[in-house]
């Protein structure tokens, strides 16, 4: 079973030979440290059986400035079918990811390609600023909803380009949670955000793509809604925010694939040696039985993580992944 088949089977709840594995190695300084102490990223991907590779789209604001909320009705991010969204190269200095076109070219024949796109709230926050985005959900609901409606259509257009590029799925990156609660009320989320996320998910499915949700923070209040919307997987299930692994698995493990479990701060940075092995082993024991689990870091591995610690961790991951499969 190759990586594409393994990931697709997991998302469909079909037979797999082992638990799929991912590791978000997209932070430039860490990738450079890993290369110096071990070898290039590609060597890590091959040695540890990494099944997924992410191609990134740029933010929907490439104008070089933040806009005022009153300007949103006239804001135009540009044609979503323009090749620049697939071929972007002007990344932040500390970013080591690839654009979608390059990810497909380099990894598309070996791994499941997941395109990272910016969701309803997170994309908007890059246009008018994070604080203004959150504040104007309440202060300017008509303007915000009108923009969300247009932006959802824009994301569907971008999805067409991603299908043509050859990706296997998309991540809708849209942080909705904080610590122990959401960033805005569940009612506001259901009224103002969920309808547009649902449209994008439905359209991506109609084009044959799987859809992953990336949301940091506590989102237990809307888990049933995520199932109803149709997300195929969710990342990362952030324990430090109050998301309990056992509760998530017991209530939703048969309805949505868990894509994560290795918290970069509270797991990989906090533990080493036997303690880190125990941390990883416990989470495999919670999430992996019955399938519906893809092992991954909770975010980009950061340069305060010693590369040798990551290598030791993924030797454990590789061994445990082979022990869990769906018959």
């Amino acid at each position: 079973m190759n990586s594409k088949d393994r990931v697709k089977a997991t998302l469909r709840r079909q037979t797999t030979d082992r638990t799929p594995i991912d590791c978000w190695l997209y932070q430039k300084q860490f990738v450079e440290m890993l290369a110096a102490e071990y070898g290039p990223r590609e060597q890590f991907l091959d040695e540890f059986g990494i099944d997924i590779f992410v191609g990134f789209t740029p933010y929907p604001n490439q104008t070089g400035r933040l806009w005022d909320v009153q300007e949103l009705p006239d804001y135009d991010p540009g044609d979503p079918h323009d090749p620049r969204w697939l071929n972007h190269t002007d990344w932040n200095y500390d970013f080591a990811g690839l654009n979608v076109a390059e990810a497909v070219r380099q990894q598309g024949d070996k791994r499941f390609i997941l395109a990272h796109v910016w969701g309803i709230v997170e994309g908007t926050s890059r246009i008018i600023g994070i604080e203004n985005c959150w504040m104007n959900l309440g202060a300017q609901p008509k303007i915000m909803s009108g923009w969300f409606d247009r932006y959802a259509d824009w994301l569907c257009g971008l999805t067409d380009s991603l299908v043509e590029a050859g990706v296997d799925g998309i991540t809708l990156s849209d942080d909705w949670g904080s610590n122990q609660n959401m960033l805005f009320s569940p009612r506001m989320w259901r009224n103002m955000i969920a309808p547009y996320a649902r449209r994008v998910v439905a359209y991506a499915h109609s084009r044959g793509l799987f859809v992953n949700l990336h949301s940091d923070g506590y989102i237990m209040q809307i888990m049933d809604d995520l199932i109803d919307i149709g997300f195929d997987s969710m990342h990362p299930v952030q324990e430090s925010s109050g998301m309990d692994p056992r509760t998530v698995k017991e209530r939703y493990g048969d309805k949505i694939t868990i894509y994560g479990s290795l918290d970069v701060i509270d797991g990989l940075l906090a533990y080493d040696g036997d303690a880190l092995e125990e941390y990883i082993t416990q989470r495999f024991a919670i999430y992996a039985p019955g399938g519906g689990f893809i092992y991954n870091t909770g975010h980009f591995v950061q340069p305060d993580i010693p590369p040798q610690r990551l290598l030791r961790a993924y030797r454990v991951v590789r061994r445990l992944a082979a022990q869990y499969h769906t018959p």
Side-chain angles (χ1 to χ4, degrees):
M1 178 171 270
N2 64 31
S3 287
K4 282 184 184 288
D5 292 340
R6 184 176 297 116
V7 174
K8 289 179 180 181
T10 297
L11 293 168
R12 292 171 177 151
R13 298 308 174 99
Q14 298 171 344
T15 299
T16 61
D17 58 340
R18 66 164 171 82
T19 299
I21 304 172
D22 196 4
C23 185
W24 277 11
L25 297 177
Y26 305 113
Q27 204 284 339
K28 184 178 180 181
Q29 287 73 33
F30 181 83
V31 171
E32 291 173 343
M33 290 166 52
L34 184 67
E37 292 191 31
Y38 162 78
R41 175 171 57 193
E42 188 73 14
Q43 180 178 332
F44 182 96
L45 302 181
D46 289 341
E47 178 177 347
F48 294 100
I50 304 304
D51 295 297
I52 299 173
F53 196 83
V54 180
F56 293 83
T57 62
Y59 297 129
N61 180 6
Q62 295 295 310
T63 66
R65 73 173 178 95
L66 290 178
W67 295 61
D68 187 86
V69 67
Q70 299 294 336
E71 298 177 287
L72 267 182
D74 298 318
Y75 181 76
D76 181 7
D79 184 357
H81 303 97
D82 192 312
R84 69 191 178 106
W85 303 107
L86 307 181
N87 294 284
H88 186 80
T89 57
D90 187 20
W91 306 108
N92 294 340
Y93 75 96
D94 60 350
F95 182 64
L98 301 179
N99 61 44
V100 170
E102 190 68 8
V104 171
R105 187 187 70 80
Q106 285 192 19
Q107 303 290 334
D109 62 340
K110 295 195 293 185
R111 308 182 212 283
F112 183 99
I113 303 297
L114 192 60
H116 191 99
V117 303
W118 304 98
I120 303 301
V121 175
E122 198 163 351
T124 303
S125 72
R126 296 294 175 168
I127 299 168
I128 62 174
I130 295 174
E131 294 85 357
N132 282 332
C133 182
W134 294 344
M135 178 182 70
N136 284 295
L137 289 171
Q140 297 288 351
K142 289 185 178 180
I143 291 178
M144 296 293 283
S145 294
W147 159 250
F148 291 162
D149 184 51
R150 290 197 297 122
Y151 186 47
D153 285 346
W154 189 89
L155 288 171
C156 291
L158 180 61
T159 297
D160 288 331
S161 295
L162 297 172
V163 170
E164 292 166 8
V167 308
D168 301 294
I170 66 172
T171 285
L172 199 63
S173 182
D174 219 7
D175 288 345
W176 296 327
S178 183
N179 290 325
Q180 309 299 324
N181 217 326
M182 293 183 65
L183 290 167
F184 21 77
S185 74
R187 184 177 69 174
M188 177 177 283
W189 178 87
R190 292 183 179 107
N191 289 338
M192 294 190 64
I193 299 165
Y196 307 108
R198 182 187 297 273
R199 185 189 304 169
V200 177
V201 172
Y203 189 76
H205 282 163
S206 77
R207 294 304 316 270
L209 298 182
F210 296 94
V211 185
N212 172 60
L213 170 68
H214 167 80
S215 176
D216 293 331
Y218 186 86
I219 54 173
M220 287 299 293
Q221 301 104 312
I222 60 170
M223 284 295 299
D224 289 320
D225 302 87
L226 302 185
I227 305 301
D228 183 63
I229 286 173
F231 284 103
D232 299 290
S233 58
M234 61 178 295
H235 176 270
V237 185
Q238 186 181 337
E239 292 181 44
S240 59
S241 73
M243 297 283 284
D244 178 64
R246 289 179 175 83
T247 300
V248 173
K249 177 68 175 181
E250 289 171 3
R251 294 183 184 176
Y252 305 105
D254 61 338
K255 301 177 180 69
I256 191 168
T257 294
I258 306 304
Y259 176 37
S261 95
L262 179 55
D263 193 289
V264 173
I265 302 300
D266 293 322
L268 196 54
L269 182 63
Y271 300 113
D272 195 8
D274 291 344
L276 180 58
E277 180 171 351
E278 178 62 20
Y279 173 92
I280 294 168
T281 301
Q282 287 179 355
R283 278 141 192 85
F284 261 95
I286 293 169
Y287 287 128
F293 176 51
I294 301 171
Y295 194 90
N296 190 20
T297 54
H299 217 287
F300 295 178
V301 182
Q302 298 296 312
D304 50 0
I305 305 296
Q308 292 299 325
R309 185 178 304 178
L310 182 73
L311 295 171
R312 289 194 297 270
Y314 268 76
R315 291 185 186 107
V316 175
V317 171
R318 183 179 56 188
R319 172 172 54 81
L320 290 171
Q323 297 176 15
Y324 290 94
H325 59 89
T326 51

